[in-house]
């Protein structure tokens, strides 16, 4: 079973181009929406990084089989955490344009979201849908994807984003989230858009070297390479899954 975990501010719409490129049928994959991202937040759900990990592990356990795990952005971070603490659930894993790295200190927007009051102020601007769509496209999101995602960025998602980033002090990882990376199973893979303005390619290169994980770099594309270069990503994943 293939499992795809989206990031911020995305929803499972992110994976449509990749699913098409892979020729997957609905029974072949599971692409859950993170609580609060186009879906309601369950009562009592904290929207923290650990709460999302626990939620996803419970959902994966229901599948009753080892999985090929794929994650983008925050979905990449959550995927690495899941693979670190529950390697028994993982057949293969691949993350794109985000890794758990103790040296990375987060991009500018992440730092603002993590700051009380400032984050709420920034979120006010996200209510302007045309401006938000233009900002995401400028940041590298394919225009067709932005048209699907932006209408879903509602108050629930904005509040969920703030809680998630604050649980990670922006994007600063330490403690067991870092040390448990030693438990990552093989085979793993990194897929990276070369011009990512949020997470520099050097972060991927550092992780690849430190953890001996292959890195595929897509030139001329950025943070949403997984959608923008779905055909190429499908080839990388197909090769990875053949090793599992």
């Amino acid at each position: 079973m293939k499992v795809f975990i989206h990031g911020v501010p995305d929803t499972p719409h992110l994976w449509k181009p990749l699913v098409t490129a892979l020729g997957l049928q609905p029974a072949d994959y599971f692409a859950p929406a993170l609580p609060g991202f186009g879906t309601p937040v369950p009562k009592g759900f904290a929207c923290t990084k650990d709460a999302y990990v626990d939620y996803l592990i419970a959902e994966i356990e229901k599948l009753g089989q080892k999985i090929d795990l794929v994650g983008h952005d925050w979905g990449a971070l959550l995927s690495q955490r899941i693979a670190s603490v529950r390697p028994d659930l993982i057949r293969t894993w691949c993350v794109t344009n985000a890794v758990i790295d103790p040296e990375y200190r987060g991009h500018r927007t992440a730092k603002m979201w993590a700051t009380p009051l400032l984050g709420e102020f920034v979120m006010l601007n996200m209510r302007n849908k045309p401006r938000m769509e233009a900002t995401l496209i400028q940041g590298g999101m394919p225009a067709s994807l932005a048209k699907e995602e932006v209408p879903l960025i509602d108050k629930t998602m904005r509040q969920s984003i703030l809680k998630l980033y604050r649980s990670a002090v922006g994007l600063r990882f330490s403690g067991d989230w870092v040390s448990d990376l030693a438990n990552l199973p093989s085979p793993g893979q990194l897929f990276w858009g070369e011009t990512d303005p949020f997470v520099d390619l050097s972060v991927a290169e550092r992780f690849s070297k430190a953890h001996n994980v292959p890195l595929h770099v897509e030139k001329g594309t950025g943070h949403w390479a997984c959608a923008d270069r779905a055909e190429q990503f499908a080839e990388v994943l197909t090769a990875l899954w053949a090793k599992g």
Side-chain angles (χ1 to χ4, degrees), residues 108-167:
R108 180 171 175 266
T109 303
K111 294 174 183 176
M112 291 191 292
W113 282 341
T115 305
L117 298 182
L118 177 58
E120 279 77 3
F121 178 77
V122 172
M123 283 298 177
L124 291 176
N125 293 326
M126 291 180 70
R127 295 187 300 179
N128 185 319
K129 301 295 186 181
R131 182 188 299 168
M132 188 65 202
E133 185 174 328
T135 298
L136 287 171
I137 293 171
Q138 184 180 10
M141 181 182 282
S144 57
L145 178 60
K147 289 187 180 301
E148 290 190 284
E149 299 285 33
V150 170
L152 298 173
I153 302 175
D154 57 7
K155 182 178 180 181
T156 298
M157 187 188 292
R158 293 193 298 269
Q159 292 177 338
S160 299
I161 290 171
L162 292 180
K163 292 175 183 176
L164 175 58
Y165 275 82
R166 288 170 187 178
S167 75

Side-chain angles (χ1 to χ4, degrees), residues 213-229:
V213 177
L215 168 63
H216 175 94
V217 179
E218 272 297 311
K219 297 186 180 299
T221 188
H223 190 67
W224 283 273
C226 59
D228 190 39
R229 300 290 174 83

Side-chain angles (χ1 to χ4, degrees), residues 149-225:
E149 299 285 33
V150 170
L152 298 173
I153 302 175
D154 57 7
K155 182 178 180 181
T156 298
M157 187 188 292
R158 293 193 298 269
Q159 292 177 338
S160 299
I161 290 171
L162 292 180
K163 292 175 183 176
L164 175 58
Y165 275 82
R166 288 170 187 178
S167 75
V169 198
L171 285 169
R172 296 184 176 213
F173 292 95
S174 60
D176 57 358
W177 274 65
V178 173
S179 60
D180 286 345
L181 291 172
N183 302 325
L184 281 173
S186 293
Q189 175 74 49
L190 306 182
F191 181 87
W192 217 267
E194 178 192 29
T195 61
D196 190 333
F198 307 107
V199 193
D200 192 78
L201 177 60
S202 62
V203 178
E205 292 171 337
R206 182 165 59 236
F207 188 98
S208 174
K209 182 177 180 180
H211 298 278
N212 194 30
V213 177
L215 168 63
H216 175 94
V217 179
E218 272 297 311
K219 297 186 180 299
T221 188
H223 190 67
W224 283 273

